[in-house]
Amino acid sequence: MIAAYYKHSADRVIGEVNNGGELVEYTLRTIDPNVSYRSVRASRGKQTRAEPISALYEQGKCHHIGSFPALEDQMCDWVPGEGSSPDRVDALVWALSELSKSRYGPQKLNMSALIKTRSR
């Protein structure tokens, strides 16, 4: 993850801390204390968190450049409450939520860094 952070000039690493996720920050800080990190805690369900991001796609405000078949399959196939948790969709929702809160407005997101990191 740290290599991807530097390779793609990421602004920060986002880590979900609901299930022992404090370990993510501890591990990052142990390896490289200079990595920018922000923890997030899911207080709402995946479907609720994903709705505003889904709206961005519907409004044409968000799109992918390149091919991300594993992510796109999850985006098309996920039915809330059924099957396994969509890890790539979850990472996408957290990333776009973070970017949409920027004081400079929505930013460009290098999806290749996000997807390659999540797929490991």
Side-chain angles (χ1 to χ4, degrees):
M1 184 180 306
I2 293 173
Y5 171 85
Y6 286 112
K7 178 181 178 184
H8 299 287
S9 301
D11 292 330
R12 82 182 36 89
V13 172
I14 306 297
E16 186 175 304
V17 298
N18 286 37
N19 297 310
E22 290 83 6
L23 181 62
V24 173
E25 181 176 13
Y26 175 79
T27 303
L28 287 173
R29 299 279 181 234
T30 299
I31 297 169
D32 186 343
N34 297 314
V35 169
S36 177
Y37 174 81
R38 183 165 106 65
S39 63
V40 293
R41 183 170 301 278
S43 59
R44 301 176 294 156
K46 277 187 185 18
Q47 180 178 359
T48 303
R49 289 194 316 270
E51 286 172 354
I53 302 307
S54 178
L56 293 176
Y57 283 93
E58 290 173 356
Q59 296 165 12
K61 295 180 179 179
C62 185
H63 63 274
H64 303 174
I65 297 175
S67 177
F68 304 96
L71 169 65
E72 292 163 357
D73 284 349
Q74 279 191 358
M75 292 173 78
C76 292
D77 296 342
W78 179 50
V79 177
E82 293 182 18
S84 61
S85 178
D87 58 342
R88 288 173 177 83
V89 170
D90 206 25
L92 173 72
V93 167
W94 282 121
L96 292 177
S97 295
E98 181 70 15
L99 290 171
S100 68
K101 290 190 252 181
S102 168
R103 67 182 181 170
Y104 303 108
Q107 304 292 311
K108 290 183 179 178
L109 172 65
N110 183 338
M111 287 298 300
S112 63
L114 172 71
I115 302 309
K116 288 177 183 170
T117 301
R118 288 295 299 181
S119 63
R120 291 189 176 139

